[in-house]
Amino acid sequence: MRHRVKGRTLGRNAQHRKAMFRNMAASFIRTLHAEDEDPNKPKVQGRIITTLEKAKELRPYIEKLVTIARKSLVHEHKAQSFSTTAKRNSAEWKSWRESDNYAKWAQAIAPAVTYRRKAFALLRDKLAVQILFGELAKRFETRDGGYTRIVRIAPRRLGDGGYQALIEFVGVHDRVKQRRTRQAPAPVPAAPVAESAPATAAEPSAS
C-alpha cells in the first residue's frame, strides 16, 4: 500500500527524479528566450511537450518557482526607494555606498536575494533564474496560482505508446469563450388582404 507516499516514481530513484525535474524546469523557462540560432528552438515559446505523467509532476515544481519569484517583487519595490541610478564605482555611487540609504537598501533587498538563492538551488541555471525573476514574476504579479496549463495530445508517442501532453504558461494562448447572443426572431409579414369586388345593381326579374 502507498500510504503517505506522494507523487509518481516514474521508474527512477529520488536523485534521478530531482535532476530530471530540475533540467525540465530550466528548459521550460528558457523557451521564453530561445535564440534563433539554437537548433533546439521550440516551435512555440513557453511550451514543451512531454509525457502526461511527467507534465503532471512538473507542474507543481514550476508553480513553486513562480511563487518564489513573485514574493521577491515586494522587497524589490521596497528597496527601490533607497537605491541609486549612479554608475558603479563612480563618485556619486561611492558616496551613496557610505550613506544611510545603502544600509536601508541592503536591509530591504536581503529577502529578495534569499528568494533568488532558493530558486537557483532548485534550477542551477543562471539564465533561467533571470527569466524567472525578470519576466515571469512581473507577468504573474497579480495572479494567485495557476500559472501553467496541461493539454493532452491525442496521438501517442511512437515506440512505447505513451500518452503525450504539452505544458505551457497561461496568458498567451488562452481560449476566449464567446458568448452567443440570442437574436430576436424576424417579424412575420402580414398576409395580404383580398380586395372585395364592387357591388352591382340587381337586374330586374322577368314578369
Side-chain angles (χ1 to χ4, degrees):
M1 290 180 286
R2 289 171 48 86
H3 292 178
R4 301 176 65 86
V5 178
K6 181 182 178 181
R8 300 171 175 83
T9 58
L10 300 174
R12 295 164 174 83
N13 56 27
Q15 293 181 352
H16 193 174
R17 283 196 307 272
K18 184 178 180 181
M20 181 184 67
F21 288 131
R22 177 185 296 163
N23 293 335
M24 290 181 67
S27 300
F28 183 31
I29 295 173
R30 286 171 68 106
T31 57
L32 294 172
H33 284 251
E35 298 180 357
D36 296 335
E37 296 81 9
D38 189 0
N40 298 323
K41 180 183 177 181
K43 294 182 180 179
V44 180
Q45 292 183 346
R47 174 190 293 177
I48 60 172
I49 297 177
T50 180
T51 59
L52 179 61
E53 291 77 12
K54 288 181 183 177
K56 289 183 177 181
E57 293 297 319
L58 178 64
R59 186 176 186 179
Y61 197 92
I62 294 291
E63 303 264 341
K64 179 180 179 181
L65 287 168
V66 178
T67 302
I68 290 174
R70 285 182 61 244
K71 288 181 179 179
S72 70
L73 286 180
V74 180
H75 304 284
E76 289 179 2
H77 294 333
K78 184 178 178 182
Q80 195 172 4
S81 58
F82 304 109
S83 62
T84 180
T85 56
K87 189 177 180 180
R88 189 177 180 86
N89 292 329
S90 62
E92 185 181 353
W93 182 85
K94 289 180 180 179
S95 62
W96 169 78
R97 184 74 183 266
E98 297 173 357
S99 63
D100 294 338
N101 285 336
Y102 173 75
K104 294 178 181 178
W105 174 84
Q107 186 177 3
I109 203 69
V113 176
T114 303
Y115 286 129
R116 282 183 178 264
R117 289 175 177 172
K118 238 183 226 187
F120 181 76
L122 293 172
L123 286 174
R124 291 295 177 181
D125 192 305
K126 291 184 178 181
L127 178 59
V129 172
Q130 291 177 5
I131 298 172
L132 179 66
F133 284 81
E135 181 176 342
L136 290 176
K138 297 175 182 178
R139 178 172 167 183
F140 299 116
E141 184 176 3
T142 58
R143 187 182 182 97
D144 296 330
Y147 315 114
T148 59
R149 75 165 65 88
I150 297 175
V151 181
R152 296 193 183 194
I153 300 176
R156 293 195 183 188
R157 187 169 61 182
L158 295 176
D160 61 352
Y163 289 99
Q164 289 184 300
L166 62 87
I167 178 171
E168 63 181 359
F169 290 106
V170 301
V172 178
H173 305 284
D174 297 344
R175 296 181 180 178
V176 180
K177 293 184 178 179
Q178 295 181 355
R179 182 176 295 179
R180 296 182 179 179
T181 57
R182 187 176 180 181
Q183 296 180 354
V188 179
V193 180
E195 297 181 358
S196 58
T200 56
E203 295 181 356
S205 59
S207 53

